[in-house]
Amino acid sequence: MSESNLPTAWERFYNGILPENPTYRLLLGMCPTLAVTNSVQAALTMAAATTFVLFCSNVMISLIRGLLKPHLRILVFTLTIATFVTVADRVLAAYLYDMSKQLGPYIPLIIVNCIIISRCEACSSVQGPLVSAVDAIGVGLGFTLGLVSIATVREILGSGTWLGWTVLPNGTWEPWGIMVLPPGAFLTLGVLLAVFNRLTEKKA
């Protein structure tokens, strides 16, 4: 398929945010979505790390797409992603040590995040570096939107705070402890999925 028949940079960008949102439409990257969204700060850190890896991997794969062999492409994708995940992991450990410890194994697990592998396969292996870079930014923003929206609900209801700032003072709100536990992640995701689907159905 020629590149002229593929989505443009703008279409890739827009699709990654809403029509093909990785959290609410494609249901990709569910492990970090459920595991690290008990606080907005953790969600933002995970989203930033994932977007960095996605951007770098997309551009790199796009630059070498002419050298990819069909039977080796997934291996090359994985090795490329692992390289940038290692960079992200070491930078977090050096400059945001407490957050790095809080996120634990979920940063290294970006290596097998289906969001990144799917963009390498669907976009950067068939289109140029500019389109691939814009695609990565769009999908990264979409993933950030998903994580932060879930984390916002969970942190406010579960702790009465947002980004560590008190928004529901003690005495006016009794925190729902379940919201910062795993069941709260599933409950919040389910409710927000229903809301997102309802809104997109009305728009359609």
Side-chain angles (χ1 to χ4, degrees):
M1 181 183 295
S2 66
E3 288 199 31
S4 61
N5 296 325
L6 295 170
T8 64
W10 165 248
E11 289 171 335
R12 291 286 193 189
F13 177 79
Y14 174 70
N15 287 344
I17 298 175
L18 291 175
E20 297 176 8
N21 184 281
T23 302
Y24 293 127
R25 294 304 266 172
L26 304 182
L27 299 181
L28 297 176
M30 288 293 101
C31 182
T33 298
L34 295 170
V36 306
T37 53
N38 56 350
S39 74
V40 174
Q41 186 177 11
L44 282 171
T45 304
M46 173 58 72
T50 303
T51 302
F52 166 77
V53 174
L54 177 59
F55 181 88
C56 295
S57 300
N58 255 21
V59 172
M60 181 61 69
I61 293 299
S62 179
L63 290 171
I64 64 172
R65 68 189 188 281
L67 303 175
L68 293 175
K69 304 299 181 183
H71 62 291
L72 293 175
R73 72 186 190 286
I74 301 300
L75 175 61
V76 175
F77 295 165
T78 305
L79 289 174
T80 303
I81 294 167
T83 300
F84 294 113
V85 168
T86 302
V87 173
D89 187 39
R90 293 301 84 202
V91 169
L92 280 175
Y95 296 102
L96 293 171
Y97 181 74
D98 290 340
M99 182 55 64
S100 176
K101 295 293 288 184
Q102 180 179 334
L103 293 175
Y106 296 106
I107 293 295
L109 281 174
I110 294 174
I111 294 172
V112 291
N113 192 315
C114 293
I115 296 173
I116 302 175
I117 295 177
S118 69
R119 298 327 299 166
C120 288
E121 177 73 11
C123 179
S124 58
S125 63
V126 294
Q127 290 190 273
L130 177 60
V131 175
S132 299
V134 173
D135 175 77
I137 294 171
V139 174
L141 287 174
F143 187 57
T144 302
L145 172 65
L147 260 62
V148 171
S149 60
I150 294 171
T152 293
V153 173
R154 294 183 66 193
E155 184 177 348
I156 290 177
L157 296 181
S159 304
T161 62
W162 190 82
L163 265 180
W165 298 323
T166 300
V167 294
L168 296 175
N170 290 333
T172 62
W173 174 258
E174 184 66 31
W176 297 357
I178 192 173
M179 296 305 291
V180 294
L181 298 175
F186 285 96
L187 177 63
T188 305
L189 176 63
V191 171
L192 291 182
L193 270 173
V195 171
F196 187 87
N197 287 334
R198 181 62 175 169
L199 292 176
T200 51
E201 284 176 3
K202 283 188 174 182
K203 184 177 179 181

